[in-house]
Amino acid sequence: MKNLVTCLFVSAGLLASAGNALASEELAKKYNCLTCHTMDKKVIGPSYKDVAAKYKDDKGAEAKLVAKIKNGGAGVWGQIPMPPNATVPDADIKALVKWVLSAKK
């Protein structure tokens, strides 16, 4: 019985993680992020895996990326600027940033 309960908790955690990943991918589609970014290849902007690798040891990465998505920016990944996304709700930006930073190289 104890093993069954443990398996149920582990399964629930895995399903929640998969749901969050799918939800964040849906957010990326909803806000047209995938026009310029993909998970593993540079398009106009860097791949999400490259972003995650660049910021993996940066404790302030989440706040930096939230600000960059909201306000736009240029110069970190080349000369093409990222436009501001001021109309995207903060909660959705935070979910997207967590999803991007969780990408594995």
Side-chain angles (χ1 to χ4, degrees), residues 4-92:
L4 176 62
V5 171
T6 302
C7 286
L8 287 174
F9 278 116
V10 169
S11 296
L14 290 173
L15 286 173
S17 296
N20 289 340
L22 291 175
S24 296
E25 184 175 358
E26 289 304 313
L27 288 175
K29 289 177 185 175
K30 176 180 179 179
Y31 295 116
N32 298 315
C33 305
L34 301 177
T35 301
C36 298
H37 303 277
T38 68
M39 186 55 72
D40 57 359
K41 291 184 177 86
K42 179 183 182 343
V43 181
I44 294 170
S47 74
Y48 293 141
K49 288 183 179 182
D50 287 343
V51 173
K54 180 178 183 79
Y55 291 99
K56 73 177 182 158
D57 295 323
D58 185 342
K59 296 196 185 308
E62 188 173 326
K64 287 177 191 174
L65 293 175
V66 165
K68 184 157 306 251
I69 291 170
K70 187 156 196 79
N71 303 318
V76 176
W77 297 94
Q79 296 303 326
I80 299 173
M82 181 170 151
N85 294 280
T87 61
V88 178
D90 289 347
D92 287 353

